[in-house]
């Protein structure tokens, strides 16, 4: 039933997108192939276009290969802070003109920053494609970082940091988990930045960071919609062609990430955080792996069997059982470009003892690795992946994000077909082996946050 549903969805994508993607069924594996046209400028900027002429709109995504992992003490949070400032004006399109031009012409825009990258995107009527290309080229080359606006935005970012972490138990426990698991590595700090850095960093420091990392050879663009690829490439050549590349990028990144990503934290321990939660929240985190290798896909499958949906093992055991211990529970395999973490989280029910719950959780993990993983549970997850994998590909925005992320993480926008082949080929023995190897107490950290936990002087 799920396979039939996916095939129906995929054929609808193909038909409704004016041949944006073609469906193939090779050896029982459903595949979709997008007609992606590619162009690379002499300065290293890569541009990808998928034409979709059904509606007179387009989505424009710019991926910069810069994120929290490239920041050093003193300028932590630079990528995220610059995400804010990139909307505040450049040389040709001055203060507040970015939003005026996008929203004033019926479009929308946004951005996000992660440990690994920063992504900016717009959705606009097709008649404005050249305008967006011009605006994007202007802010890549001539960002203002206007001093008064910079100081105003500093306050905004500090308030965002407080809202997401200091005043949020959910955010505080997550950040504490990342800091503990990746201690001593570039992944061990907040993407928003350390408070002391956000308060003391100067406009000149951020401008220097911008000039080094926001270069054309550190970015690529994905455009999907009612555009002509050749016309787009010509316009991009005109507007971006004169922007200088940074020939020192590789050396710059090596220096920024010189500490490496090998796990070096203190494991097999508990961390108690003071918060506001009436009932304790918890996270049990294990050493994981980076994106890409086969074992990363196996751990994806394992996380879904354990904690994805009401029929998952952990939900049936701890939420829906006759004697429940948690109000909610989940599992996740978080793969980054250089490392990863596998974690289980949730919230306890009133009067459930934290230490007793941890003991029972670890005992049940051992049990599931040995006895509870079945061919049926494996196939159920594969079916779910098959249905959800192409979710969102009926929109320009969904296609641009989907293909762009694969270009960013794998260097190949068509990697999705390989992903489905890998997921489909994973065996039960592989999942059991990964469960035994990775969900190991000696490589874990157990965190709780609760209003009755002792207060700590350690900052996040």
């Amino acid at each position: 039933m799920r396979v039939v549903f996916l095939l129906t969805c995929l054929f609808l994508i193909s038909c409704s997108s004016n041949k944006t993607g073609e469906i193939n069924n090779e050896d029982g594996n459903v595949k979709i192939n997008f007609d992606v046209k590619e162009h690379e400028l002499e300065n290293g900027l890569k541009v990808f276009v998928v034409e979709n002429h059904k509606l007179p709109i387009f989505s424009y995504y710019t991926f910069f290969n810069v994120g929290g992992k490239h920041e050093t003490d003193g300028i932590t949070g630079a990528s995220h802070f610059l995400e804010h400032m990139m909307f505040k004006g450049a040389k040709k399109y001055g203060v507040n003109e970015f939003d005026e031009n996008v929203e004033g012409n019926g479009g929308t825009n946004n951005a996000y920053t992660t440990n690994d990258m920063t992504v900016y995107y717009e959705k606009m009527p097709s008649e404005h494609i050249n305008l967006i290309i011009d605006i994007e080229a202007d802010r890549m080359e001539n960002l203002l970082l206007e001093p008064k606006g910079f100081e105003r935005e500093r306050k905004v970012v500090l308030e965002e940091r407080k809202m997401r972490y200091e005043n949020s138990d959910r955010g505080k426990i997550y950040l504490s988990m990342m800091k503990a698991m990746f201690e001593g590595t570039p992944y061990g700090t907040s993407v928003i930045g350390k408070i002391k850095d956000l308060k003391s960093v100067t406009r000149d420091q951020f401008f220097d960071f911008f000039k080094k990392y926001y270069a054309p050879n550190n970015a690529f663009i994905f455009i999907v919609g009612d555009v002509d690829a050749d016309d787009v490439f010509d316009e991009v050549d005109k507007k971006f062609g004169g922007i200088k590349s940074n020939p020192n990028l590789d050396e710059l990144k090596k220096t920024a990430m010189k500490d490496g990503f090998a796990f070096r934290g203190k494991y097999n321990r508990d961390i108690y955080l003071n918060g506001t939660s009436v009932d304790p929240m918890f996270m049990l985190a294990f050493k994981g792996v980076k994106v890409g290798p086969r074992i990363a896909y196996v751990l994806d499958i394992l996380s879904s069997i354990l904690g994805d949906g009401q029929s998952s093992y952990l939900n049936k055991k701890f939420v829906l059982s006759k004697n429940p211990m948690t109000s909610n529970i989940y599992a996740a395999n978080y793969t980054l470009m250089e490392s990863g973490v596998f974690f289980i989280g949730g919230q306890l029910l009133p009067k459930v003892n934290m230490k007793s719950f941890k003991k029972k959780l670890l005992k049940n993990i051992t049990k599931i690795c040995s006895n509870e993983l079945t061919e049926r549970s494996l196939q159920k997850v594969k079916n779910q992946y098959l249905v959800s994998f192409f979710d969102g590909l009926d929109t320009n925005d969904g296609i641009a994000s989907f293909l762009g992320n694969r270009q960013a993480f794998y260097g190949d926008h068509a990697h999705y077909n390989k992903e489905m082949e890998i997921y489909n080929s994973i065996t039960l023995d592989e999942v059991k082996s990964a469960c035994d190897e990775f969900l190991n107490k000696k490589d874990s950290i157990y965190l709780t946050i609760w209003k009755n936990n002792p207060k700590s002087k350690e900052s996040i």
Side-chain angles (χ1 to χ4, degrees):
M1 187 67 179
R2 293 179 184 274
V3 175
V4 172
F5 175 72
L6 176 67
L7 286 171
T8 302
C9 291
L10 291 182
F11 277 111
L12 285 173
I13 290 167
S14 180
C15 296
S16 66
S17 300
N18 195 18
K19 295 185 179 179
T20 301
E22 294 182 356
I23 311 300
N24 296 305
N25 194 341
E26 300 175 4
D27 300 323
N29 289 318
V30 178
K31 292 188 176 183
I32 182 169
N33 297 304
F34 291 95
D35 183 14
V36 182
K37 296 178 173 65
E38 305 179 22
H39 178 63
E40 184 171 353
L41 283 65
E42 290 185 3
N43 59 17
L45 178 67
K46 295 180 180 178
V47 189
F48 304 87
V49 175
V50 178
E51 295 184 12
N52 178 14
H53 301 292
K54 183 188 177 186
L55 296 172
I57 55 177
F58 69 88
S59 291
Y60 186 116
Y61 274 65
T62 305
F63 290 76
F64 285 98
N65 185 15
V66 60
K69 70 183 181 186
H70 301 106
E71 301 159 1
T72 54
D73 279 341
I75 58 167
T76 61
S79 306
H80 173 259
F81 201 129
L82 285 167
E83 176 202 314
H84 285 235
M85 295 306 299
M86 285 279 272
F87 294 95
K88 302 302 179 182
K91 183 177 180 180
K92 183 176 180 179
Y93 298 90
V95 177
N96 297 325
E97 289 189 32
F98 186 97
D99 285 340
E100 289 175 4
N101 276 282
V102 174
E103 295 174 7
N105 285 298
T108 60
N109 64 81
N110 214 326
Y112 62 87
T113 307
T114 71
N115 296 94
D116 291 314
M117 72 181 90
T118 310
V119 183
Y120 300 83
Y121 52 97
E122 296 87 39
K123 292 179 280 188
M124 293 279 286
S126 297
E127 62 188 285
H128 301 299
I129 181 63
N130 289 349
L131 173 64
I132 288 299
I133 292 172
D134 196 29
I135 290 175
E136 288 288 7
D138 185 37
R139 68 175 179 173
M140 179 184 284
E141 185 176 23
N142 303 306
L143 188 66
L144 279 181
L145 287 184
E146 188 269 323
K148 289 184 179 179
F150 181 85
E151 291 305 323
R152 284 195 298 270
E153 212 59 32
R154 186 199 301 272
K155 295 178 182 178
V156 172
V157 173
L158 281 166
E159 189 61 32
E160 181 182 355
R161 156 88 200 204
K162 185 186 297 183
M163 177 187 71
R164 287 182 179 240
Y165 298 125
E166 277 72 22
N167 293 344
S168 167
D169 280 8
R170 196 173 301 278
K172 186 184 291 186
I173 193 172
Y174 171 77
L175 181 55
S176 298
M177 181 275 289
M178 291 291 287
K179 181 179 178 182
M181 289 300 298
F182 295 111
E183 182 179 349
T185 83
Y187 286 149
T189 58
S190 163
V191 172
I192 295 181
K194 298 176 181 177
I195 291 178
K196 65 175 183 178
D197 291 345
L198 294 173
K199 288 182 175 179
S200 63
V201 71
T202 67
R203 182 259 185 196
D204 289 343
Q205 285 177 291
F206 273 5
F207 190 72
D208 180 64
F209 185 89
F210 172 81
K211 296 304 289 184
K212 289 176 178 177
Y213 282 102
Y214 292 72
N217 57 322
N218 201 38
F220 66 86
I221 299 168
F222 242 101
I223 302 172
V224 179
D226 185 25
V227 298
D228 181 277
D230 291 334
D231 290 345
V232 166
F233 295 150
D234 288 343
E235 194 67 20
V236 169
D237 282 338
K238 291 177 188 176
K239 301 301 183 181
F240 286 88
I243 303 177
K244 294 181 180 179
S245 63
N246 181 357
N248 302 314
L249 261 175
D250 290 342
E251 192 60 37
L252 182 66
K253 291 177 181 179
K254 286 181 183 178
T255 300
M257 299 184 288
K258 66 181 184 301
D259 291 335
F261 295 88
F263 289 105
R264 55 177 71 95
K266 298 182 285 292
Y267 303 99
N268 193 15
R269 65 184 176 114
D270 296 349
I271 296 176
Y272 297 93
L273 304 168
N274 180 260
T276 59
S277 297
V278 176
D279 300 311
M281 294 181 183
F282 71 91
M283 293 186 84
L284 176 62
F286 302 87
K287 296 178 184 178
V289 298
K290 68 178 184 179
V291 70
R294 184 178 177 86
I295 188 62
Y297 298 95
V298 177
L299 289 172
D300 284 343
I301 294 281
L302 177 60
S303 71
S304 294
I305 293 174
L306 282 175
D308 187 4
Q310 289 192 343
S311 64
S312 64
Y313 176 83
L314 293 176
N315 268 279
K316 289 192 291 186
K317 186 67 180 179
F318 292 103
V319 180
L320 303 175
S321 65
K322 291 182 180 179
N323 298 301
M325 299 185 76
T326 67
S327 59
N328 65 81
I329 195 167
Y330 61 88
N333 181 43
Y334 184 26
T335 51
L336 298 106
M337 286 186 180
E338 310 295 342
S339 188
V341 57
F342 189 108
F343 57 93
I344 298 168
Q347 189 159 16
L348 302 185
L349 288 171
K351 299 182 180 180
V352 173
N353 182 272
M354 288 186 289
K355 291 185 178 180
S356 297
F357 169 75
K358 176 193 173 185
K359 185 177 180 180
K360 188 168 184 178
L361 177 61
L362 288 170
K363 183 178 179 180
N364 274 272
I365 288 174
T366 302
K367 181 181 178 182
I368 191 174
C369 290
S370 303
N371 305 315
E372 300 297 331
L373 295 170
T374 65
E375 290 287 357
R376 182 177 179 180
S377 63
L378 174 61
Q379 190 58 51
K380 181 195 74 172
V381 168
K382 287 183 179 181
N383 290 344
Q384 290 171 340
Y385 281 20
L386 191 64
V387 172
S388 66
F389 196 70
F390 297 103
D391 187 34
L393 297 188
D394 55 346
T395 67
N396 295 329
D397 195 51
I399 294 170
S401 177
F402 181 82
L403 297 178
N405 274 302
R406 277 140 188 88
Q407 182 66 33
F409 280 103
Y410 302 103
D412 176 14
H413 55 75
H415 190 266
Y416 50 87
N417 281 325
K418 297 178 184 176
E419 290 176 66
M420 284 311 303
E421 288 179 4
I422 293 170
Y423 282 128
N424 285 333
S425 68
I426 289 171
T427 67
L428 184 61
D429 285 342
E430 286 181 283
V431 180
K432 288 182 176 181
S433 177
C435 192
D436 285 329
E437 180 181 355
F438 287 91
L439 304 195
N440 193 312
K441 182 182 176 182
K442 68 180 179 62
D443 292 327
S444 72
I445 298 176
Y446 182 67
L447 303 94
T448 68
I449 188 165
W450 186 32
K451 68 175 185 177
N452 292 335
N453 279 349
K455 292 184 178 180
S456 171
K457 293 182 180 180
E458 185 177 354
S459 65
I460 57 169

